[in-house]
């Protein structure tokens, strides 16, 4: 995997050396994340989180602000299925309270999408969003995703089952 560089942020594969900063920022962001995403708040959880990203079935990135090198968020491509005729993956993302509201995660998602289509050879990305999560919905809308009205999923977050809408983007619909 390579470094992905945008105007204000860069994406690079999440690594063990990110653990201390990641965990501290996730801990400070618990109220923002509660019920929306899982972000590890202790070192042991970070180790388990890191182990998920094998580079084949799941890829995890950290989002760093170019000017400060501060960690601003995360972007993941999970559940990668490379079988034809529809190679696909599931996009996950989140920011941290310390840098919230600056559009860093939205820029990161816009970097991750062409990576998924061009580098990984996927033809479809799905994102699952809770209906009331307007900031998350804006991120995928800005990246060109469209809702799949007939597809709602129940996903467990923080031990609770929560309804999610599926948003999708295909390589032929603005993904390049």
């Amino acid at each position: 995997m390579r470094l992905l560089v945008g105007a204000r942020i860069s994406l690079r594969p999440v690594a063990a050396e990110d653990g201390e900063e990641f965990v501290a920022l996730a801990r400070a962001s618990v109220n923002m994340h509660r019920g929306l995403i899982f972000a590890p708040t202790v070192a042991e959880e970070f180790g388990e989180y890191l182990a998920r990203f094998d580079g084949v079935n799941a890829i995890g990135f950290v989002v760093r602000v170019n000017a400060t090198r501060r960690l601003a968020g995360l972007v993941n491509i999970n559940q990668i299925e490379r079988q034809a005729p529809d190679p696909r993956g599931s996009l996950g993302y989140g920011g941290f309270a310390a840098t919230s509201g600056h559009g860093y995660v939205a820029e990161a998602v816009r970097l991750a999408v062409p990576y998924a289509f061009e580098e990984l050879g996927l033809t479809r990305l799905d994102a699952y969003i809770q209906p009331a999560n307007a900031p998350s919905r804006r991120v995928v809308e800005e990246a060109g995703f469209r809702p799949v009205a007939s597809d709602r999923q129940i996903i467990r977050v923080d031990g609770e089952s929560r309804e999610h809408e599926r948003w999708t983007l295909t390589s032929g619909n603005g993904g390049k």
Side-chain angles (χ1 to χ4, degrees):
M1 288 191 297
R2 63 184 172 88
L3 177 70
L4 306 174
V5 181
R8 300 179 308 141
I9 59 92
S10 295
L11 291 179
R12 76 157 172 73
V14 62
E17 61 263 20
D18 298 315
E20 189 175 321
E21 183 183 10
F22 191 109
V23 164
L25 288 167
R27 196 175 304 125
S29 304
V30 165
N31 288 335
M32 185 173 92
H33 292 160
R34 183 162 288 133
L36 298 174
I37 67 167
F38 166 76
T41 57
V42 296
E44 180 180 293
E45 289 175 345
F46 184 80
E48 293 167 5
Y49 174 80
L50 188 59
R52 292 181 6 199
F53 304 115
D54 62 3
V56 176
N57 300 303
I59 295 171
F61 292 101
V62 288
V63 180
R64 291 216 175 257
V65 178
N66 293 336
T68 64
R69 303 308 307 149
R70 285 187 66 186
L71 188 61
L74 58 108
V75 174
N76 306 319
I77 303 171
N78 304 294
Q79 300 171 331
I80 297 172
E81 297 178 19
R82 297 178 192 268
Q83 299 84 6
D86 188 22
R88 66 183 110 179
S90 180
L91 182 72
Y93 52 90
F96 295 115
T99 52
S100 179
H102 295 281
Y104 297 137
V105 172
E107 184 177 340
V109 165
R110 290 190 304 271
L111 279 177
V113 165
Y115 174 83
F117 294 142
E118 296 166 13
E119 301 287 328
L120 300 179
L122 305 182
T123 59
R124 187 177 97 199
L125 275 177
D126 294 323
Y128 293 89
I129 300 168
Q130 292 178 40
N133 190 346
S136 188
R137 193 170 45 255
R138 275 192 306 276
V139 166
V140 294
E141 284 175 332
E142 289 174 9
F145 285 71
R146 297 290 173 252
V148 179
S150 62
D151 192 0
R152 299 231 175 196
Q153 303 281 327
I154 302 297
I155 299 172
R156 293 187 64 78
V157 180
D158 284 342
E160 292 186 34
S161 296
R162 299 180 185 276
E163 182 180 33
H164 287 70
E165 302 168 333
R166 180 167 64 103
W167 288 67
T168 194
L169 179 65
T170 58
S171 59
N173 289 338
K176 292 196 177 207

